[in-house]
Amino acid sequence: MLALFQQNTRELENLPVQLALWPMVIAGFAGIPTLLFIALSEWRKWRHWAVYAGTGVVISLPGGMLIALELYPERTGIAAMVLLNVTVAGACGALAYWMIAGRNAGNWRGEVSAPRS
């Protein structure tokens, strides 16, 4: 998008390749850790919203740093805003997951409690 606004033809030539690779990079940085967190939260029955929001921030941080430093290596203020936006998006995505499935984490197991004595 930045190349389109600046009308930089050299970067526009690589646009199809970049559009194909960025989702893979983001999935590598965020997809695998997210799946591991989901499995761990189901196993440990974590149901608090703050756990999910904090994990969303932590998982999105490396990818956000990569994006910010790749797009704006010399502009630290803009890079910081990009990083902030990506981490807030990670927290919002994690909270959306919590609202859909995380509130009931671990309930599918239906474990029977020990009988009273």
Side-chain angles (χ1 to χ4, degrees):
M1 294 305 293
L2 186 63
L4 289 173
F5 289 126
Q6 294 177 347
Q7 297 178 351
N8 188 344
T9 57
R10 184 171 174 229
E11 288 185 23
L12 285 175
E13 293 172 358
N14 298 329
L15 189 62
V17 175
Q18 290 178 359
L19 289 176
L21 291 179
W22 273 109
M24 289 185 239
V25 169
I26 292 170
F29 273 97
I32 295 169
T34 300
L35 291 175
L36 291 173
F37 171 73
I38 289 171
L40 184 64
S41 66
E42 287 289 330
W43 176 59
R44 299 288 299 177
K45 296 183 180 182
W46 290 336
R47 296 186 181 130
H48 199 273
W49 65 269
V51 173
Y52 286 84
T55 303
V57 168
V58 170
I59 288 175
S60 66
L61 200 57
M65 288 174 53
L66 175 72
I67 292 169
L69 294 176
E70 180 70 27
L71 293 178
Y72 305 103
E74 69 282 344
R75 297 179 179 162
T76 56
I78 295 173
M81 288 304 296
V82 169
L83 181 60
L84 178 66
N85 288 333
V86 170
T87 54
V88 168
C92 290
L95 286 174
Y97 177 80
W98 172 79
M99 290 173 64
I100 294 168
R103 292 183 296 171
N104 299 315
N107 279 349
W108 58 272
R109 292 191 288 185
E111 294 176 353
V112 178
S113 60
R116 292 184 175 174
S117 49

